[in-house]
Amino acid sequence: MFRAIITSILLVTAVAAQATGLSPTPGKTATFKDWTVGCDNGFACQAVALMPDGPWDDGLSVVVTRAAGTQAPLTIEVAGFTAKTNRYRILIDGKVIHNGSITIGGESIRFVGAEGLKIARAMAKGTLIQLADGSGNKLGVASLSGVAAALRYLDAEQGRAGSRSAVIALGSKKVAAKMANYPVLQIRKMVPTDVLPDATSLVALSEASPCAEERFGSTQDTAYSLGESGQGPLAMVMLNCGAGAYNFSSGIYVGRRDQTGNWKFEPAKFDFGATGFSADSKIPLLVNADWDAAKQTISSYAKGRGLGDCGSSESWVWDGSSFRLTSASVMGECRGSRAWIPVWRADVKIVN
């Protein structure tokens, strides 16, 4: 269900962004049985094992990542356990395929390059991966159902299919892979001031806001300086727009103070997203929003449920007139994974 919500939001906001001429296009994700996979706009990909239905007491976190480019190594990280001895074994369908040393108390193991490729290719031929300690005690398991398809998807998205650099879709073609080309956002540095909207202005804004009916009980609105513009001081307002058990919604406005001292507010402009859980919001909404003045970024973290194993997160940088997407991650499957898949990245350069 939550995956459908995420997909709907991405599609609606992509159309809205294209309509304004600003069109970040985050990558897509796909799910194959017990694995989900996706890539960002620079063809860096990640495949994640999903937990089975039922108890997760012995469920392992297994994440496969690979950046773009012909020389990019494949990495597998296995986590979700605590080592009680200094040795481990990786088993697939009961057969030991790798073993090594680990610090007692360690909680993750990473396999990089040739080692990672060897394990990934063995995973694609199996049904269950298991981690055991040096004494043979089981530390955790993960299903491999769907991993072969997920890794083929990764090969195709990165342009490796049919070449010697592929993980699964091996072939005799010359080594080829798409190269990363992330957008670079050159942003002028913001110098905050002490000029902020007064309480009367904020009350008037809250009473006129479309989310006025969602405000109940004790509410708190916050305002932050966005520095000076040619027409007066600027400020961003996070207006309380309702809360649930684990998600707090904020309507985002930008205000300007005129020469008479009055504040005029307008919904903030975002080049992508900012819809919260509603694709038809009349104002930009962020969930569990946070502002970092030093980086000029605002972030959103919408959890699909309290466990935090599904949802979406984004961050945007303020460019003086609007908020521009710098990163986005999603996990559409509420099945125990804490590893959300990055689907967008932009490099930011702040200049004086």
Side-chain angles (χ1 to χ4, degrees), residues 224-312:
Y224 303 91
S225 172
L226 294 178
E228 288 278 351
S229 72
Q231 299 175 314
L234 294 174
M236 176 186 65
V237 177
M238 292 185 188
L239 197 70
N240 180 300
C241 285
Y246 41 81
N247 285 318
F248 179 90
S249 297
S250 298
I252 312 300
Y253 288 85
V254 171
R256 177 180 286 107
R257 194 183 72 167
D258 62 26
Q259 294 180 345
T260 66
N262 294 318
W263 284 88
K264 180 179 179 180
F265 299 97
E266 294 182 350
K269 297 177 181 178
F270 289 79
D271 65 353
F272 185 92
T275 61
F277 284 106
S278 173
D280 59 353
S281 301
K282 297 179 181 178
I283 57 174
L285 285 176
L286 299 185
V287 180
N288 302 320
D290 185 55
W291 169 247
D292 186 330
K295 295 181 179 179
Q296 296 179 212
T297 58
I298 189 170
S299 60
S300 180
Y301 172 56
K303 296 195 292 185
R305 59 179 181 174
L307 290 173
D309 60 343
C310 54
S312 65

Side-chain angles (χ1 to χ4, degrees), residues 93-106:
D93 295 340
K95 180 181 179 181
V96 177
I97 64 162
H98 187 83
N99 63 77
S101 60
I102 186 173
T103 302
I104 294 176

Side-chain angles (χ1 to χ4, degrees), residues 5 7 69 79 110 193 274:
I5 295 174
T7 301
R110 295 177 79 242
T193 71

Side-chain angles (χ1 to χ4, degrees), residues 34-305:
D34 295 332
W35 281 73
T36 190
V37 60
C39 305
D40 68 13
N41 53 308
F43 306 109
C45 300
Q46 181 169 294
V48 180
L50 302 172
M51 297 293 179
D53 294 331
W56 300 339
D57 296 343
D58 62 350
L60 281 179
S61 169
V62 183
V63 179
V64 181
T65 59
R66 198 176 197 183
T70 57
Q71 303 301 315
L74 179 138
T75 298
I76 299 177
E77 183 172 22
V78 179
F81 65 92
T82 300
K84 296 181 179 179
T85 71
N86 62 0
R87 299 291 298 177
Y88 70 84
R89 300 174 184 172
I90 298 288
L91 300 89
I92 292 183
D93 295 340
K95 180 181 179 181
V96 177
I97 64 162
H98 187 83
N99 63 77
S101 60
I102 186 173
T103 302
I104 294 176
E107 298 180 342
S108 67
I109 310 170
R110 295 177 79 242
F111 307 99
V112 183
E115 192 175 62
L117 274 172
K118 176 184 175 182
I119 294 173
R121 288 166 179 164
M123 287 166 51
K125 298 177 182 178
T127 59
L128 192 74
I129 185 170
Q130 178 179 327
L131 179 66
D133 64 19
S135 301
N137 298 311
K138 184 172 71 172
L139 298 178
V141 297
S143 170
L144 297 176
S145 178
V147 69
L151 295 178
R152 285 184 181 276
Y153 179 97
L154 183 152
D155 283 338
E157 290 295 301
Q158 293 189 327
R160 302 180 191 275
S163 76
R164 293 184 296 274
S165 73
V167 184
I168 302 299
L170 288 162
S172 58
K173 289 194 326 185
K174 183 179 179 181
V175 174
K178 297 175 181 177
M179 301 301 295
N181 184 23
Y182 294 105
V184 178
L185 307 180
Q186 187 163 297
I187 306 297
R188 184 165 296 280
K189 185 177 181 180
M190 176 195 73
V191 180
T193 71
D194 294 329
V195 182
L196 293 173
D198 56 274
T200 300
S201 299
L202 292 178
V203 169
L205 173 63
S206 67
E207 290 179 347
S209 170
C211 65
E213 295 181 0
E214 304 299 325
R215 297 163 61 88
F216 54 88
S218 177
T219 61
Q220 182 177 358
D221 305 317
T222 51
Y224 303 91
S225 172
L226 294 178
E228 288 278 351
S229 72
Q231 299 175 314
L234 294 174
M236 176 186 65
V237 177
M238 292 185 188
L239 197 70
N240 180 300
C241 285
Y246 41 81
N247 285 318
F248 179 90
S249 297
S250 298
I252 312 300
Y253 288 85
V254 171
R256 177 180 286 107
R257 194 183 72 167
D258 62 26
Q259 294 180 345
T260 66
N262 294 318
W263 284 88
K264 180 179 179 180
F265 299 97
E266 294 182 350
K269 297 177 181 178
F270 289 79
D271 65 353
F272 185 92
T275 61
F277 284 106
S278 173
D280 59 353
S281 301
K282 297 179 181 178
I283 57 174
L285 285 176
L286 299 185
V287 180
N288 302 320
D290 185 55
W291 169 247
D292 186 330
K295 295 181 179 179
Q296 296 179 212
T297 58
I298 189 170
S299 60
S300 180
Y301 172 56
K303 296 195 292 185
R305 59 179 181 174

